Amino acid sequence: MKELLQSNLDNPAELEKLYRKNKSEFKKEFDELYPQIQDRGLAEFWHTRLHYESDAINWGSLKDWRVVIIASLLAGLYAKLPEIFSIENDLFYAKNLGLMVFPFVSIYFIWINKLTSKTILTVGSLFVASLLYINILPNDESSDTLILACIHLPLLLWAILGYTYGAGNLKDLTSRLAFLRFNGDAVVMGAILVLSGMLLSGITIGLFGLIGINIEKFYMEYIGIFGAAAIPLLATHLTQTNPQLVNKVSPIIAKIFSPIVLVMLVIYLGAIVFSGKDPYNDREFLLLFNLLLIGVMALIFFSIAESSDEKSKKSGTWILMLLSLVTLIVNAIALSAIVFRINEWGLTPNRMAVLGINVLMMIHLVLVGKKLLLAVKGRTETQQVGNVISSYLPVYFIWSAIVIFLFPILFGFS
């Protein structure tokens, strides 16, 4: 990208193509080049464009909104299928929850990124194959492999969404990191929309109740469910058209919670010793322990992805390194607990799945922690830590595919 930028500094059309191809990488490389090229004709224009933040809300084009509205309606109709065709609700939503979100958000990025027909066909085939597979699995609520498939499918669908976000470029680490950053921003925007929707729903139902009209059932079955289906798409569109709305909020949230979570984890590990609880003999406690581990790892990854300026990186690197170290201790406890349980009571689909993800997370934490240690010593940049996170992500997706597609066969759908 840097070489292409240098060779096309006097070619406006080519610069625009490069920008649209990969906006995050274009901005990163341009900012690094700017001190050397600021006296060139188009350099000042692009610097102003890349760093301009409008106070006005950009609602996007009418065509973009058509895509958002149509995709939202389709997602809502998907969510209404159990009612339309008298399908058992619990199993349907357990199997299809991820399919109600990620394919429709992918439609938005297919539109925005103007993906090729070949890429669209690939993405569509993957979603359709996932839909058919998960829904032909036996409807046995006691089946561990079915539950595991339902849990891991959203992660695989999320990977496909990342593929559309990155315009079909599998090797671009910068785009992967930008995708993580987008997820953080979309979660913040989505939370705001959920709270706003809850407030609107409460006021609407209450006002109609005051005049003796009970609309709660109708409202929740139609307006509520379509509104919930639209939130991921609305959050995506607003973050893409108005990055200034949340791109300062997400890093602040990450910086506030990173030291708090670090202190909480240290206290929690100490409290385990005195509580009498242990993950070796308590299955439910081990499950919660692993959920805690996944949540903390997600915080570390998003904190690194949301890092922007060099000063903030330097001041927060120590906290992230210590948080990684403590999380590694938590991971080691969880891993030893699952090994103990396998040794005592044998191998089951659940134990195998937990063992696999714990091993993968431990390797990832070691790699990330090593890079953070080098960053603390000033021997590498925080961007390199981001590259370690990005380059390892496919490992999780491969493991998810194994759990989804091979575990039912290996364990006889038990």
Side-chain angles (χ1 to χ4, degrees):
M1 176 66 79
K2 187 175 291 185
E3 293 176 359
L4 290 171
L5 278 171
Q6 288 176 313
S7 61
N8 289 284
L9 283 173
D10 298 315
N11 190 333
E14 284 301 317
L15 286 177
E16 186 65 29
K17 287 180 182 177
L18 289 172
Y19 175 69
R20 295 191 181 194
K21 184 178 179 181
N22 192 328
K23 294 180 181 180
S24 59
E25 186 179 4
F26 183 99
K27 184 177 185 298
K28 173 179 174 292
E29 299 296 347
F30 181 88
D31 286 344
E32 290 183 5
L33 275 175
Y34 182 68
Q36 308 166 30
I37 62 171
Q38 55 186 324
D39 57 337
R40 300 285 292 272
L42 288 172
E44 186 63 30
F45 163 77
W46 274 100
H47 184 266
T48 303
R49 177 180 176 182
L50 293 172
H51 294 274
Y52 176 73
E53 292 186 1
S54 173
D55 293 330
I57 300 297
N58 178 13
W59 295 104
S61 69
L62 182 59
K63 290 181 179 179
D64 292 345
W65 274 104
R66 285 175 185 165
V67 173
V68 171
I69 291 170
I70 291 172
S72 298
L73 289 173
L74 291 173
L77 285 172
Y78 196 157
K80 292 288 290 181
L81 287 180
E83 184 179 332
I84 296 171
F85 296 103
S86 301
I87 303 171
E88 188 178 350
N89 282 6
D90 294 341
L91 281 175
F92 178 84
Y93 287 118
K95 288 182 173 184
N96 292 274
L97 188 60
L99 288 161
M100 295 176 190
V101 178
F102 298 111
F104 301 102
V105 179
S106 294
I107 290 174
Y108 177 82
F109 285 117
I110 287 171
W111 166 259
I112 293 296
N113 291 329
K114 302 293 188 291
L115 299 187
T116 63
S117 299
K118 181 180 178 181
T119 304
I120 294 172
L121 182 61
T122 301
V123 170
S125 299
L126 290 171
F127 280 130
V128 170
S130 299
L131 183 151
L132 294 175
Y133 173 80
I134 197 68
N135 284 287
I136 63 173
L137 286 178
N139 289 334
D140 182 3
E141 294 185 17
S142 63
S143 170
D144 289 338
T145 54
L146 174 62
I147 295 171
L148 287 171
C150 293
I151 292 172
H152 286 78
L153 182 62
L155 182 60
L156 195 62
L157 299 175
W158 182 65
I160 302 172
L161 172 63
Y163 180 67
T164 62
Y165 177 91
N169 191 341
L170 291 172
K171 297 181 180 179
D172 188 355
L173 297 183
T174 305
S175 179
R176 292 184 197 175
L177 204 60
F179 178 59
L180 287 179
R181 191 179 300 114
F182 152 72
N183 278 268
D185 293 344
V187 167
V188 172
M189 179 60 71
I192 294 171
L193 292 174
V194 167
L195 291 173
S196 302
M198 290 172 64
L199 180 61
L200 174 64
S201 299
I203 292 173
T204 303
I205 294 171
L207 287 174
F208 275 90
L210 288 174
I211 58 175
I213 301 175
N214 185 0
I215 65 164
E216 184 174 354
K217 186 173 186 297
F218 171 83
Y219 187 94
M220 297 310 297
E221 287 185 358
Y222 293 95
I223 299 174
I225 198 165
F226 278 93
I231 283 175
L233 282 147
L234 289 173
T236 297
H237 180 61
L238 290 173
T239 55
Q240 294 304 294
T241 53
N242 298 276
Q244 77 279 5
L245 290 179
V246 291
N247 64 3
K248 290 185 175 64
V249 176
S250 301
I252 291 172
I253 292 174
K255 290 179 189 305
I256 290 174
F257 279 94
S258 294
I260 293 174
V261 171
L262 174 61
V263 173
M264 180 274 292
L265 271 182
V266 173
I267 295 173
Y268 183 71
L269 288 174
I272 290 174
V273 178
F274 298 99
S275 68
K277 285 271 189 180
D278 73 86
Y280 296 91
N281 297 293
D282 191 326
R283 180 177 179 272
E284 299 301 324
F285 183 66
L286 177 60
L287 174 62
L288 293 174
F289 207 70
N290 276 283
L291 290 175
L292 170 68
L293 175 61
I294 293 170
V296 175
M297 283 196 67
L299 176 64
I300 294 171
F301 294 169
F302 285 123
S303 296
I304 294 170
E306 292 289 357
S307 297
S308 51
D309 59 278
E310 198 64 39
K311 290 183 180 179
S312 67
K313 291 177 184 177
K314 194 69 177 176
S315 62
T317 304
W318 266 104
I319 291 174
L320 288 173
M321 189 200 71
L322 292 172
L323 186 56
S324 297
L325 178 61
V326 176
T327 308
L328 189 60
I329 294 172
V330 173
N331 181 260
I333 294 172
L335 185 58
S336 63
I338 193 61
V339 170
F340 171 81
R341 292 180 66 83
I342 290 173
N343 185 58
E344 287 292 314
W345 296 292
L347 190 64
T348 65
N350 285 334
R351 290 171 192 152
M352 185 65 183
V354 173
L355 176 65
I357 196 64
N358 272 278
V359 170
L360 296 182
M361 287 193 294
M362 173 166 279
I363 295 171
H364 203 181
L365 276 171
V366 170
L367 295 174
V368 170
K370 182 180 177 181
K371 280 293 182 182
L372 283 169
L373 181 61
L374 292 175
V376 165
K377 293 181 178 180
R379 291 163 58 184
T380 189
E381 298 178 359
T382 310
Q383 177 65 33
Q384 295 302 315
V385 185
N387 289 341
V388 170
I389 291 173
S390 300
S391 61
Y392 197 84
L393 288 177
V395 177
Y396 293 115
F397 307 144
I398 293 170
W399 177 249
S400 296
I402 291 171
V403 174
I404 295 166
F405 299 108
L406 291 185
F407 269 39
I409 298 171
L410 293 175
F411 291 95
F413 299 93
S414 62

